[in-house]
Amino acid sequence: MIPQIATFFIDYQCNFTCEHCSISSSPSIKATMSDELIESIFNQLKKVSSFKVVVFTGGETTLQKEKLVKGLNLARDNGWSTRVVTNAWWATSKEEAEKFVKELVAEGLNEINTSFDDYHAKFVSIDNIVHFVEATFSNNIKPVISTIIDNYSKYTSKYIQNYMAEKLGISSNEISKKILFMENTPSLNGRGANLKNDVNRIPINLTIDDVKTRKGCTEVGRSISFHPDGNVKVCCGHASMDVSDLTVGNLYSESLAVILNRVQSNIVFWLIHTLGPKGILKKLGVTTEHSTICDACQDLLVNYRKAMLNYVLNHKNELLLNEVILTDNKRREIDSYRMLIKQQKDKQQCQNQN
């Protein structure tokens, strides 16, 4: 549970009002991070050597372009990799998209992510996404396209991939090599909670059986998010806006170092990180189905919070040993083994070249 990704929510404002939005962003909601707070966070991040990536999101972070550029410059100057998450509203033509991306790359951008699906299609054309992709290709950065699908979806990753191939005149297989597609179901948090009113809409893709193949939410403790009011959250996932336990401090009252130290000593965060919210719910005897791991996390920390805390209190030593310490050691062993294999391959390649 090492903090590696620093996520800046520069503003909650967005020019879209997507009905699945877990942040509940809209044009009328404005909460902007001050320049002083941005600078303070970067000054404190420099003291934590484990951070590697800085992400700028919202809301729609490009609506606060001056602050975004300031953040990109600070991250670049300190040697961190950068990522921008955007809805691509600005990619109205190939020329406009090229100009926009080129400018951000010059300011320090390394990766750019967008989303497109039936929810976003009410506010932006799929052709914006084509222009977005063309601009990333010409600026030599790999794009990521996230897609939320439900039982009514037209715009799946496959649909978008085939559309791109036709528009750009390259094969669908080649598109899959150039673009990272990520697909998930809606998380029922924020404004997305209203989707529960149509129970037939949401596919259940995270059952109790997933505990066997997915050990925990590795974003907890790895991704630390910073918010306009100074709040620091222990992840940047969908449940973080609705669950008070995921807010771990405020930078207007204490330092980042103090906050991160408190995170590291919190056994509940360690259990979510290693065992996962579904794994903890299973230990409580809860077999409720969830659409996403974030839904499971919210269910755990809101509806089953008291039962979970009692269970942790009564099984603390057992959980620390079997679900935290041994699990963490095993991961380190695997990482060491992978590093050894990589070193052997690199050595063999050098010998072959000589």
Side-chain angles (χ1 to χ4, degrees):
M1 198 168 69
I2 300 172
Q4 296 179 314
I5 303 174
T7 300
F8 286 72
F9 283 78
I10 292 181
D11 199 333
Y12 295 149
Q13 186 182 42
C14 185
N15 47 349
F16 297 174
T17 315
C18 300
E19 60 182 324
H20 72 303
C21 182
S22 62
I23 310 297
S24 298
S25 294
S26 74
S28 62
I29 296 175
K30 190 168 185 179
T32 310
M33 185 177 288
S34 69
D35 288 345
E36 293 76 17
L37 181 57
I38 292 173
E39 291 175 3
S40 174
I41 295 170
F42 272 102
N43 287 334
Q44 295 185 70
L45 285 174
K46 287 189 287 188
K47 301 175 183 178
V48 186
S49 60
S50 60
F51 280 104
K52 306 296 182 186
V53 180
V54 179
V55 181
F56 300 96
T57 186
E60 174 53 37
T61 190
T62 63
L63 297 177
Q64 295 289 340
K65 194 172 180 183
E66 287 187 10
K67 293 180 185 292
L68 172 59
V69 167
K70 181 183 184 69
L72 287 171
N73 292 167
L74 288 168
R76 177 196 58 198
D77 293 346
N78 285 284
W80 291 307
S81 180
T82 60
R83 180 186 309 150
V84 165
V85 182
T86 175
N87 60 31
W89 66 271
W90 39 266
T92 52
S93 68
K94 180 178 179 179
E95 293 73 24
E96 287 297 318
E98 169 66 25
K99 178 182 176 182
F100 197 92
V101 173
K102 186 177 182 178
E103 181 180 347
L104 292 187
V105 169
E107 300 292 352
L109 176 66
N110 300 120
E111 179 187 316
I112 190 164
N113 297 11
T114 193
S115 298
F116 188 78
D117 41 52
D118 289 66
Y119 297 98
H120 287 87
K122 296 178 181 179
F123 304 94
V124 68
S125 167
I126 189 174
D127 289 323
N128 277 51
I129 310 305
V130 175
H131 304 321
F132 165 91
V133 165
E134 288 181 297
T136 63
F137 289 172
S138 61
N139 284 280
N140 201 31
I141 57 174
K142 188 168 184 177
V144 177
I145 300 177
S146 297
T147 302
I148 299 297
I149 58 169
D150 60 29
N151 290 331
Y152 302 159
S153 291
K154 168 185 175 182
Y155 294 109
T156 63
S157 290
K158 191 65 178 177
Y159 182 102
I160 299 169
Q161 182 176 324
N162 290 336
Y163 188 90
M164 291 277 180
E166 182 178 350
K167 283 288 185 176
L168 299 178
I170 57 180
S171 70
S172 181
N173 184 54
E174 189 66 21
I175 285 289
S176 66
K177 294 177 182 178
K178 292 177 175 290
I179 304 172
L180 175 60
F181 288 94
M182 300 175 64
E183 198 168 78
N184 209 336
T185 52
S187 191
L188 307 180
N189 311 102
R191 192 162 50 243
N194 295 325
L195 298 176
K196 295 177 183 177
N197 296 330
D198 187 349
V199 294
N200 296 318
R201 183 175 194 170
I202 309 303
I204 301 300
N205 72 338
L206 189 68
T207 66
I208 210 70
D209 291 333
D210 285 306
V211 175
K212 300 174 184 176
T213 57
R214 181 172 184 172
K215 292 289 288 183
C217 177
T218 55
E219 292 306 304
V220 167
R222 176 173 175 263
S223 292
I224 304 295
S225 61
F226 303 96
H227 297 259
D229 58 359
N231 276 344
V232 179
K233 298 178 186 292
V234 75
C235 76
C236 61
H238 301 289
S240 65
M241 302 300 291
D242 293 341
V243 180
S244 60
D245 284 336
L246 295 176
T247 298
V248 290
N250 188 286
L251 291 172
Y252 286 120
S253 59
E254 55 190 342
S255 70
L256 178 59
V258 169
I259 293 171
L260 292 179
N261 184 62
R262 186 161 59 243
V263 170
Q264 290 295 316
S265 61
N266 188 310
I267 186 175
V268 173
F269 294 152
W270 273 103
L271 291 174
I272 294 174
H273 181 85
T274 60
L275 184 60
K278 292 295 290 187
I280 302 171
L281 286 169
K282 183 179 180 181
K283 287 184 178 294
L284 300 179
V286 178
T287 58
T288 306
E289 294 181 326
H290 300 92
S291 63
T292 68
I293 195 169
C294 295
D295 290 335
C297 191
Q298 180 169 336
D299 197 17
L300 173 70
L301 295 178
V302 175
N303 299 321
Y304 295 97
R305 184 178 190 273
K306 185 175 180 179
M308 178 267 295
L309 292 176
N310 285 334
Y311 185 89
V312 170
L313 182 64
N314 293 325
H315 300 83
K316 185 175 181 179
N317 292 335
E318 171 194 340
L319 291 169
L320 274 172
L321 178 63
N322 296 325
E323 305 298 347
V324 177
I325 297 174
L326 293 181
T327 302
D328 193 46
N329 286 341
K330 182 60 67 178
R331 283 180 176 169
R332 290 178 183 176
E333 290 177 15
I334 293 172
D335 288 341
S336 296
Y337 177 73
R338 286 174 175 168
M339 181 60 70
L340 178 62
I341 294 298
K342 184 179 185 303
Q343 289 173 347
Q344 290 175 343
K345 287 183 177 179
D346 291 344
K347 183 178 180 180
Q348 185 63 49
Q349 286 178 353
C350 288
Q351 290 175 347
N352 292 340
Q353 290 173 358
N354 294 332

